[in-house]
Amino acid sequence: MHPATRTMSNRQKIALFIVITIVTRLALAFRPETQLTQRLYQEDAYYALATANHLAHGNGFSVDGVHPTNGVQPLIVVLYSICFFISGADKWLGVRLTFGLVAIIESLCVVLIYKAIETFKREDKKYSIDPAIIGAGVWTFLFANLIHNAIGLETGLYAMMILWSLYLYGRILQLERKGSDISTLRWIGFGVQLGLLVLTRIDGVFFVAAVCVVELIKRRKIWPSLLIGAFAVVVSSPWWVYNYTKFGSLMPISGQSESIGSALLLNIQFSLTTIANIFLVLFYQESELTVNILRLSTVAIIIIISMTLWRRQGRAYVRNSYYARPLATLFIASACLIVYYTFFFNAPHFIGRYFHPLRVAVLLVVVMYIPGLYDRWKRSSKFSVLRIAMVSYLLLGVVYNTVHYIYNYTTKDINALYQAGRWAEEHPQHKIGMTSSGVAGFMSDNVVNLDGKVNYDALLARHHDSLGYYVVHSGIDVLADWEGNARPIITQAQKLGVTYYVVDSLGSSGLYFYLKENPKAIFGQPAF
């Protein structure tokens, strides 16, 4: 072949994608300290980071170094603790090092999505373009993936574990098709990996259950299903034991906290919006905390059109071109997650993260269908509706992803909760209560969590509708919060004869500081 016509091998393409992935994720680590709490890391990520910091310095699973917690997902905390062990007393260096871990995890995702699709391919099928390479490239550049995988929480590691599980499962089925006997050790290894998946995120049990059910009922593999389930339980059991013995429940206290109250209407809106986002693939529209009929109608139409097109166009192609049984288990698990988080949970603002397994599943299916779309493209006329629609969609997707990458890498906004953390550092004599205490609590250990996500005592107080009494009796002398969160706490505290006064605020952020019984404060005035 003439040098001018030589093309890159798949190995070279994967290497290029890995380099791009590492550079783009690591670049986030070199921003000013004030930007590390804004984008892409979320407020709740700092609960995991604070716990990792304390774990690294011998304080156990604790967000403040004193009280134990299970309001975080364990495996990402353990991995982050390595970064904080290396950084020593420099917390912010530890945070910067975690971006290196994110880059490694994302790079592994690039490799695993490639390898998973390779195991799904039919040996007798010729593909006009390689879907495995397309999958690796899409994972590298897609903003909707970045905004979920690089937010400082367990989501990126969860996606990696899902892809790893799909690859291992696909590999087992691939070997079976070739007539190889699957050893007991291989099934045990698969079960161990699924146990790590559960330690990455507890609701991974739905995926484990789906795999066991498919093996037991569809394939009638009794012994493999028992091995998979048993070793997944064994590997994840330390966390279940810790949860139950320390906190009296298998569900982490963060999940219990998010189960308080009722938000069904918002859950339905956020679920529909998230599913619509997932089917759009190239685009990501953040939900709003308002119920909007127009929005609901729009996303419902997107879902209906997408599923109709899939049923008519893509389903037969994927079925005839791939062995996709592992994907079926992921879709079963995703359906269970949708039902659970929509109808039995009350955290609509986190549904985009909770449905991440469905995002991985749909992305895989779309990538696997791309060769079929490309074949249709080649057969269509130059100015056909199909060509115009595909080109328009891709161009809009490229513009959208480019703009959002630039925005998220260059935003100069300062997080009000970072400013609250600075305030806490400057006032170490006070014990400060906050319902959103992730960033501030990471920065200063005199901050106490009040929404119960990582503070078991606060969770019990919320269950008994006595958060105001808890604040007073636990010696919290400053509340730092938005008025809507602070009002019921302060009102209840007044029943005990304790009054909180406004002493400071963070500009136009709406976040106020309320000091307990301090009528002599220069700016002091009753909170309400």
Side-chain angles (χ1 to χ4, degrees):
M1 181 180 292
H2 191 278
T5 62
R6 186 177 299 162
T7 59
M8 295 177 67
S9 67
N10 282 358
R11 185 184 296 271
Q12 290 172 322
K13 291 174 184 176
I14 293 296
L16 177 61
F17 292 147
I18 289 174
V19 170
I20 294 172
T21 299
I22 290 174
V23 170
T24 53
R25 276 57 172 179
L26 272 182
L28 293 164
F30 296 96
R31 297 170 297 162
E33 178 184 304
T34 55
Q35 303 306 309
L36 296 178
T37 63
Q38 189 60 12
R39 288 196 181 245
L40 296 165
Y41 277 13
Q42 293 186 352
E43 155 73 5
D44 279 17
Y46 280 84
Y47 291 130
L49 292 167
T51 305
N53 182 50
H54 285 293
L55 180 63
H57 295 95
N59 299 321
F61 265 80
S62 173
V63 77
D64 57 7
V66 178
H67 302 97
T69 189
N70 68 343
V72 292
Q73 301 294 341
L75 191 54
I76 192 65
V77 169
V78 171
L79 293 177
Y80 279 164
S81 68
I82 300 171
C83 299
F84 287 99
F85 180 81
I86 295 171
S87 67
D90 190 341
K91 292 182 181 179
W92 291 109
L93 175 58
V95 173
R96 295 182 194 280
L97 291 175
T98 63
F99 285 99
L101 182 58
V102 168
I104 293 172
I105 290 170
E106 283 283 81
S107 298
L108 289 172
C109 285
V110 170
V111 174
L112 287 168
I113 193 172
Y114 172 83
K115 294 179 75 68
I117 295 175
E118 282 289 308
T119 66
F120 298 160
K121 289 180 179 179
R122 287 186 179 271
E123 291 79 3
D124 58 347
K125 174 71 177 179
K126 300 296 182 182
Y127 302 89
S128 52
I129 50 178
D130 190 346
I133 284 294
I134 296 296
V138 168
W139 197 278
T140 299
F141 295 105
L142 191 62
F143 171 76
N145 264 353
L146 179 75
I147 199 66
H148 289 93
N149 292 337
I151 57 175
L153 287 160
E154 74 288 340
T155 326
L157 183 62
Y158 193 33
M160 189 203 85
M161 289 293 180
I162 289 171
L163 291 172
W164 190 9
S165 301
L166 293 175
Y167 164 66
L168 291 180
Y169 197 13
R171 180 61 177 156
I172 287 173
L173 299 181
Q174 187 182 56
L175 290 172
E176 283 186 344
R177 291 193 301 271
K178 294 179 178 180
S180 301
D181 292 329
I182 305 304
S183 67
T184 298
L185 188 60
R186 187 177 288 273
W187 286 115
I188 290 174
F190 186 34
V192 168
Q193 197 282 325
L194 289 176
L196 294 176
L197 170 72
V198 174
L199 290 176
T200 303
R201 185 167 173 82
I202 300 304
D203 59 18
V205 295
F206 287 112
F207 184 66
V208 178
V211 171
C212 291
V213 167
V214 167
E215 285 298 307
L216 184 62
I217 297 177
K218 185 70 175 178
R219 298 194 341 120
R220 301 187 184 281
K221 301 278 189 177
I222 299 175
W223 181 238
S225 64
L226 290 176
L227 285 175
I228 291 169
F231 277 88
V233 170
V234 168
V235 171
S236 59
S237 61
W239 189 244
W240 301 117
V241 172
Y242 173 73
N243 289 348
Y244 192 78
T245 56
K246 283 283 187 181
F247 305 98
S249 174
L250 295 178
M251 178 183 285
I253 59 176
S254 53
Q256 295 180 56
S257 173
E258 297 292 6
S259 299
I260 297 174
S262 177
L264 180 59
L265 197 56
L266 281 175
N267 279 356
I268 293 172
Q269 174 184 326
F270 275 60
S271 294
L272 287 173
T273 303
T274 298
I275 294 171
N277 280 333
I278 288 170
F279 279 115
L280 283 171
V281 182
L282 295 183
F283 302 91
Y284 176 74
Q285 174 62 51
E286 294 190 29
S287 302
E288 298 174 0
L289 284 172
T290 55
V291 177
N292 186 308
I293 299 301
L294 179 61
R295 174 186 291 274
L296 288 175
S297 302
T298 302
V299 298
I301 290 170
I302 291 171
I303 293 169
I304 291 170
I305 292 175
S306 300
M307 294 185 72
T308 301
L309 289 174
W310 160 246
R311 187 175 182 82
R312 291 181 178 177
Q313 309 287 346
R315 188 174 179 180
Y317 177 86
V318 171
R319 179 185 294 169
N320 295 328
S321 303
Y322 302 92
Y323 298 100
R325 179 165 285 134
L327 267 180
T329 61
L330 184 55
F331 274 105
I332 292 170
S334 298
C336 294
L337 291 172
I338 290 171
V339 171
Y340 177 69
Y341 285 117
T342 301
F343 298 102
F344 301 98
F345 218 64
N346 297 300
H349 41 290
F350 291 136
I351 279 178
R353 175 159 56 96
Y354 297 156
F355 289 5
H356 200 43
L358 179 63
R359 179 173 290 102
V360 175
V362 170
L363 180 62
L364 278 164
V365 168
V366 169
V367 165
M368 289 158 62
Y369 182 45
I370 285 178
L373 282 175
Y374 183 65
D375 292 339
R376 294 187 64 200
W377 163 281
K378 291 191 297 184
R379 293 195 301 268
S380 63
S381 61
K382 190 173 183 179
F383 296 104
S384 67
V385 174
L386 175 65
R387 286 202 173 197
I388 294 172
M390 288 177 66
V391 170
S392 300
Y393 185 77
L394 287 173
L395 286 176
L396 286 173
V398 169
V399 171
Y400 173 88
N401 280 268
T402 301
V403 169
H404 279 76
Y405 257 99
I406 293 172
Y407 169 72
N408 279 274
Y409 277 69
T410 60
T411 179
K412 299 297 183 183
D413 299 338
I414 296 180
N415 189 350
L417 295 170
Y418 172 84
Q419 294 176 303
R422 279 290 177 223
W423 196 97
E425 288 179 326
E426 294 166 359
H427 298 81
Q429 73 276 19
H430 293 300
K431 190 175 183 180
I432 304 164
M434 299 180 67
T435 53
S436 295
S437 63
V439 171
F442 171 80
M443 297 173 66
S444 185
D445 283 338
N446 60 334
V447 175
V448 180
N449 173 255
L450 294 183
D451 68 358
K453 285 183 183 177
V454 292
N455 180 355
Y456 186 56
D457 293 335
L459 175 64
L460 293 178
R462 286 191 66 197
H463 274 305
H464 294 91
D465 194 24
S466 59
L467 201 52
Y469 300 109
Y470 168 74
V471 165
V472 172
H473 289 299
S474 62
I476 294 173
D477 59 339
V478 174
L479 295 174
D481 232 311
W482 289 272
E483 180 181 339
N485 294 336
R487 181 185 293 273
I489 297 174
I490 291 173
T491 300
Q492 196 172 73
Q494 287 176 333
K495 296 178 181 179
L496 296 177
V498 175
T499 303
Y500 283 81
Y501 295 84
V502 177
V503 293
D504 205 348
S505 67
L506 296 179
S508 60
S509 67
L511 198 151
Y512 293 88
F513 294 86
Y514 308 92
L515 182 60
K516 177 181 176 181
E517 296 184 301
N518 186 29
K520 296 181 180 179
I522 296 175
F523 300 106
Q525 53 182 308
F528 305 109

